[in-house]
Amino acid sequence: MEAAMNQMSLMAGALSSSSIDGGASNNDNNISNTGDGLGVGGSAGDGRRHINFDISDANNENDGTNNDPDQVRELATTTSTGSDYYAKGSAEVATESALTLAKIQHRLRLTKKSDRLVIVLVGLPGRGKSFIARKLQNFLTWRGSECRVFNVGKYRRQAADGACGADFFDSKNTAAAQMRQLAASLALQDMLRWLDNEDNSTNASGGGGGGGGGRTSGMFTTTTNSNNNMRMMMTLMNNERKDRVGIFDATNSTRERRDWVLRECTCRKKRAGKPTGVVFVESICDDVDLLNENFLTKVNTSPDYIGMDQKVAMEDLLTRVKKYEEAYETIEDDTQSYIKIYNLSSKMLVNHIYGRMAKSIVPALMAWNVGTRPVFVCRAGQTMNESTRASLRCSMSRSESLGVQGRAFRDALFGYMQEECLDFINRRQMTAFSPDLNTGTSISGMMNRSVSKMNFRKSLDGDLGCLSTIQSEEVEEADEDLYVGTDGVTPLPFPCYIMTSTMPRARQTVDWEDMPYPIQMLSNLNPLDKGDFTGQELEDIAVKHPEWYEQLVEDPFYTRFPGGECYGDLTSRLESVVVDIEQQVGPVLVVSHVSVLQVLVAYFRNTPVENCTSIALPLNTVLKFTPAKGGGWQESQIRIQTSPSNSHNDLSSMDNTAADANVPAVEEQRTPLARTPVGSYKKIDVMHHAGKGSPPEMVSPSESLPIWGDHAMRDTSYRRHTTMPVLPLGRGAL
Ligand SMILES: Nc1ncnc2c1ncn2[C@@H]1O[C@H](COP(=O)(O)OP(=O)(O)O)[C@@H](O)[C@H]1O
Ligand SMILES: O=P(O)(O)OC[C@H]1O[C@@](CO)(OP(=O)(O)O)[C@@H](O)[C@@H]1O
């Protein structure tokens, strides 16, 4: 430290002496007494640029310095001497020294592409390890890996024949320690066997979390026709191609244990030809309130405490945690790849993390939170109805605007969203200020404008006077902005993070006039790019390009449209959207199109994305996903009855045909709906779905044929059957 200080003062000395004897003419400080103020010198022969200081300037007081802030600012922004370096860096071709080469080699070793990855969770009990494991499994399965969680606790309960008391977790209890090691060892063996594809069971034996990546799971197994058999084979082949990620869920709380896991996974001798990457993810939490809440959750949900009195169970868990704390060693070996997550990702430390971990998993880990905000997704409103389109004999254009039905849906959607979002905010506000801190999480949320600050204060000082005010100020201030429109002035009736594609019909579906919502228009949310086949009907493609069509039927997920995309490509571009949705702590609305929503819904349903082409998405329906405690999502579907006559729409008196004829290249008829169209919607058929896997019946396809496409007019929940036997779909399926 002292040496560094000395060095700094030496440098300062050198600098000041150079400015004092700045009169000396050298190539770095060419000082000229030109009388026209500080100016930029010309280019020196050596390529460097020089500044000419005018030492006659009064501000300089003849000491070569300049105290005029305006001049300094102007110079700083206009002179190019040295500033090119900061703007662009050196233009010289980069060179590699032996040192940088060695560093890169090290990085390469850790980036090496291996088809197998092991993520080892680390942390004391109640730190969210299993929560993180489940989120990881869902995310990685969705984005195309086979992923399975191996929870050592399950093996331990098998080995110990049931639940174990706190003493079992004492590191000095040698018999128990042996049993714990046995459980870990069995789980690890199973994980490695599964990673090496030597385990053909569909569930992780004994300890695995099962998972969306089941090898023969999904709709394809139940069908009998040859197309479907072919597709089943394609699915199996695709699964064979997939990389595998095993998640080892235990406390892994000592260095010895972690080193053992690392050795077992990477031992060159034992695992020759099976390269496996290992990354540790340690969850650290010292927020006492949060921990209390987590422990309560554990006591209420862990199989170890079933049927036990809550108080007794809590005491046992706290003693168990203490035993673990006595032996706990945080990760310190910087030669290993690891990520440390502190207090709900409020801080993260990332060490030797490259490749897909850096690209996908780190952003996802940063985004996940335990907030309870709902996510709403729906298709853009209708442009023109099918009979109109048929009579006009025109195909769908991407730039079409909303028709009468679409505008009615837009208005109805506003009413629905307002009710939902305000209801959410009201409930969260009550939780944030509830005296029972155990009922929710301590994550900051938004305040509801509809309940005034004064009422809050009153409730805090009055009935709920004993409350901790930890959140009050933070909650209010952090989210104030969410209630103000993009113009910075107009108050918004409810807070919502809105994302749409760049298609006019999607943007117009949330075009609630006079309500300047900050809307994220993202091309990532645009429909599947059908390349050369854009605008063509599936029947026509089948006739004109039978070979390509057959391939599509066989492998709907990976067959790429000529010059366009396949669903696999679409999934890649939706990864950042998923992360963006996950990181929100307030309500989110996504307005997009069938193909995109199929992929997104697969994520929320925790089903393999390859099967998403069979997900039906009816028009005028909102799919609402609410976070479940364990990290998954509960689904409900709300069909919204729209009524054009309710929509304050100046076109509402026109008949559908006339209004819907307002198609491509015609600008949308703007409708003055400034007045909140509350009540202009009616919920019908609200379907709830709590588990994972199969969706609510309403949109569950009655057969296992895929549904492709984004045809705006086609309501895919009511597919019509064509008389053409080779076609899985009717007209308009694309
Ligand atoms: N990053 C985190 N830090 C702290 N707590 C978390 C985190 N993520 C989730 N939680 C919460 O921790 C609680 C306990 O989660 P669990 O996964 O059972 O813990 P563990 O497996 O570490 O014993 C859950 O209620 C969850 O909401
Ligand atoms: O083998 P270690 O690293 O102790 O970790 C596994 C243990 O993790 C524990 C720690 O409490 O948690 P959990 O069941 O919640 O996943 C025990 O069930 C389990 O025996």
Side-chain angles (χ1 to χ4, degrees):
M1 182 66 158
E2 204 179 317
M5 294 292 282
N6 286 342
Q7 205 174 353
M8 279 174 72
S9 59
L10 272 175
M11 283 166 67
L15 277 173
S16 60
S17 65
S18 91
S19 58
I20 288 166
D21 62 19
S25 177
N26 61 44
N27 278 340
D28 289 315
N29 278 326
N30 179 15
I31 299 179
S32 64
N33 192 356
T34 58
D36 42 349
L38 285 158
V40 180
S43 210
D46 60 1
R48 284 173 289 178
R49 307 209 21 117
H50 301 148
I51 298 178
N52 299 316
F53 293 94
D54 182 357
I55 53 172
S56 68
D57 192 308
N59 286 327
N60 294 341
E61 291 173 357
N62 292 339
D63 66 352
T65 64
N66 180 10
N67 299 325
D68 180 344
D70 288 341
Q71 279 193 348
V72 171
R73 200 171 286 134
E74 195 188 327
L75 267 171
T77 51
T78 56
T79 55
S80 59
T81 303
S83 66
D84 272 0
Y85 175 79
Y86 293 103
K88 298 178 192 149
S90 167
E92 275 178 45
V93 173
T95 50
E96 258 171 0
S97 66
L99 178 76
T100 53
L101 213 57
K103 299 284 172 199
I104 289 170
Q105 288 306 325
H106 183 60
R107 190 182 170 116
L108 272 179
R109 184 176 62 76
L110 289 160
T111 323
K112 208 165 47 192
K113 171 84 186 122
S114 52
D115 293 338
R116 302 169 188 82
L117 174 68
V118 171
I119 298 178
V120 183
L121 272 312
V122 177
L124 290 163
R127 264 62 181 181
K129 297 184 299 297
S130 300
F131 178 92
I132 294 167
R134 282 187 294 267
K135 294 294 280 187
L136 278 169
Q137 186 192 26
N138 185 8
F139 180 69
L140 293 170
T141 302
W142 173 78
R143 72 183 286 283
S145 302
E146 281 229 71
C147 185
R148 194 165 289 179
V149 178
F150 293 80
N151 176 274
V152 175
K154 283 190 179 181
Y155 288 81
R156 185 258 304 161
R157 271 183 289 276
Q158 294 294 326
D161 202 15
C164 311
D167 286 345
F168 185 84
F169 301 93
D170 189 333
S171 57
K172 293 183 281 297
N173 182 344
T174 30
Q178 275 173 6
M179 207 175 279
R180 284 169 56 202
Q181 181 54 32
L182 173 74
S185 185
L186 291 173
L188 193 74
Q189 278 170 23
D190 279 358
M191 184 177 73
L192 292 177
R193 263 212 300 274
W194 175 79
L195 272 182
D196 299 339
N197 211 357
E198 289 162 1
D199 163 20
N200 288 321
S201 69
T202 47
N203 282 311
S205 45
R215 324 204 72 213
T216 56
S217 67
M219 61 185 193
F220 298 130
T221 47
T222 54
T223 53
T224 50
N225 70 42
S226 61
N227 276 343
N228 287 330
N229 284 340
M230 187 62 91
R231 266 189 279 126
M232 187 174 81
M233 274 171 57
M234 292 302 295
T235 307
L236 288 173
M237 274 166 57
N238 287 331
N239 281 350
E240 293 300 327
R241 281 205 300 256
K242 284 180 172 187
D243 57 0
R244 292 194 159 201
V245 183
I247 301 177
F248 193 64
D249 180 18
T251 64
N252 297 310
S253 49
T254 62
R255 181 177 177 150
E256 190 188 358
R257 161 71 79 84
R258 292 190 293 271
D259 288 349
W260 167 74
V261 173
L262 189 60
R263 269 197 316 276
E264 291 295 307
C265 294
T266 58
C267 173
R268 288 202 182 180
K269 225 167 161 194
K270 279 203 238 168
R271 299 192 46 74
K274 299 166 182 170
T276 307
V278 177
V279 173
F280 295 96
V281 174
E282 180 176 6
S283 181
I284 296 167
C285 181
D286 57 7
D287 179 321
V288 178
D289 292 329
L290 182 61
L291 282 177
N292 284 336
E293 209 171 279
N294 288 356
F295 292 148
L296 199 75
T297 306
K298 278 207 86 72
V299 158
N300 290 331
T301 53
S302 167
D304 286 346
Y305 300 111
I306 290 175
M308 211 187 263
D309 173 72
Q310 202 186 64
K311 206 164 157 255
V312 178
M314 188 59 130
E315 267 165 29
D316 183 83
L317 176 60
L318 292 178
T319 316
R320 183 196 294 196
V321 174
K322 218 175 225 150
K323 302 280 179 206
Y324 268 110
E325 277 169 350
E326 283 163 15
Y328 191 74
E329 293 166 307
T330 189
I331 301 176
E332 274 170 345
D333 186 345
D334 282 355
T335 63
Q336 296 172 352
S337 290
Y338 68 80
I339 299 168
K340 291 192 187 201
I341 299 171
Y342 297 84
N343 295 320
L344 292 170
S345 302
S346 57
K347 182 171 106 173
M348 276 175 71
L349 178 61
V350 172
N351 185 73
H352 281 317
I353 296 295
Y354 310 111
R356 80 183 122 173
M357 283 300 292
K359 200 181 97 179
S360 301
I361 299 177
V362 171
L365 283 169
M366 290 170 79
W368 291 324
N369 66 73
V370 294
T372 58
R373 79 290 178 204
V375 175
F376 304 89
V377 306
C378 69
R379 287 173 66 183
Q382 253 176 304
T383 50
M384 70 167 97
N385 68 37
E386 267 189 85
S387 59
T388 311
R389 189 179 301 284
S391 68
L392 289 173
R393 299 182 140 269
C394 66
S395 59
M396 171 82 183
S397 151
R398 292 177 71 142
S399 60
E400 280 181 26
S401 291
L402 292 184
V404 166
Q405 289 298 333
R407 289 193 293 272
F409 176 64
R410 171 197 63 190
D411 297 357
L413 183 65
F414 177 88
Y416 169 72
M417 288 304 295
Q418 181 170 37
E419 187 181 297
E420 284 283 351
C421 294
L422 287 182
D423 180 52
F424 167 75
I425 298 294
N426 276 327
R427 272 185 289 113
R428 177 144 86 183
Q429 180 190 289
M430 290 319 292
T431 306
F433 290 89
S434 159
D436 178 10
L437 282 174
N438 298 321
T439 54
T441 70
S442 56
I443 198 162
S444 288
M446 284 173 291
M447 287 282 293
N448 185 358
R449 275 277 175 85
S450 68
V451 180
S452 69
K453 284 184 188 178
M454 236 169 62
N455 279 343
F456 264 116
R457 296 276 167 264
K458 232 166 60 190
S459 61
L460 285 172
D461 298 341
D463 298 346
L464 310 175
C466 59
L467 285 190
S468 148
T469 52
I470 45 173
Q471 295 105 337
S472 60
E473 294 298 324
E474 273 173 47
V475 172
E476 268 179 310
E477 279 168 24
D479 301 306
E480 287 259 295
D481 288 350
L482 290 170
Y483 285 89
V484 181
T486 42
D487 58 3
V489 189
T490 312
L492 297 174
F494 60 89
C496 189
Y497 185 76
I498 301 172
M499 304 162 95
T500 73
S501 74
T502 62
M503 301 292 111
R505 61 187 188 277
R507 174 64 184 80
Q508 288 161 11
T509 302
V510 288
D511 199 1
W512 302 316
E513 210 174 322
D514 284 0
M515 288 163 210
Y517 273 91
I519 289 164
Q520 309 293 316
M521 271 175 79
L522 303 169
S523 59
N524 289 36
L525 285 170
N526 285 356
L528 185 75
D529 179 355
K530 295 169 204 87
D532 292 348
F533 296 162
T534 302
Q536 292 188 40
E537 300 291 352
L538 202 59
E539 296 98 317
D540 302 334
I541 296 170
V543 173
K544 284 194 224 156
H545 310 276
E547 274 176 28
W548 181 87
Y549 180 77
E550 211 161 284
Q551 211 186 320
L552 178 75
V553 173
E554 280 167 16
D555 189 359
F557 191 80
Y558 287 109
T559 302
R560 191 168 279 128
F561 282 79
E565 291 177 308
C566 65
Y567 271 82
D569 300 324
L570 184 56
T571 307
S572 304
R573 74 166 146 97
L574 286 173
E575 209 173 291
S576 64
V577 172
V578 162
V579 170
D580 198 1
I581 294 173
E582 280 279 10
Q583 74 180 346
Q584 300 304 319
V585 289
V588 180
L589 169 64
V590 182
V591 182
S592 184
H593 313 274
V594 175
S595 53
V596 166
L597 296 179
Q598 285 175 322
V599 173
L600 288 181
V601 167
Y603 174 79
F604 289 108
R605 282 187 188 164
N606 193 12
T607 52
V609 72
E610 287 91 338
N611 298 354
C612 77
T613 56
S614 66
I615 294 175
L617 288 144
L619 279 161
N620 301 328
T621 301
V622 176
L623 273 64
K624 176 184 173 187
F625 295 96
T626 312
K629 271 190 179 159
W633 299 81
Q634 283 194 6
E635 177 178 347
S636 48
Q637 297 180 4
I638 300 94
R639 292 200 62 137
I640 295 179
Q641 193 179 57
T642 58
S643 146
S645 59
N646 274 343
S647 67
H648 307 269
N649 189 325
D650 59 359
L651 292 178
S652 59
S653 58
M654 297 172 76
D655 72 298
N656 260 0
T657 317
D660 281 338
N662 167 27
V663 277
V666 177
E667 242 193 75
E668 195 222 6
Q669 306 268 337
R670 292 192 63 84
T671 59
L673 72 81
R675 275 46 51 194
T676 314
V678 180
S680 62
Y681 78 95
K682 196 169 140 197
K683 284 189 224 174
I684 48 172
D685 300 339
V686 181
M687 309 288 291
H688 295 286
H689 174 58
K692 64 174 198 174
S694 48
E697 292 242 306
M698 189 174 77
V699 292
S700 177
S702 57
E703 54 190 291
S704 57
L705 292 169
I707 302 161
W708 289 283
D710 288 297
H711 198 295
M713 299 304 100
R714 176 61 53 123
D715 185 338
T716 51
S717 66
Y718 304 111
R719 276 185 294 143
R720 275 162 227 174
H721 296 276
T722 171
T723 48
M724 293 176 68
V726 284
L727 290 172
L729 294 171
R731 281 188 68 79
L734 279 180

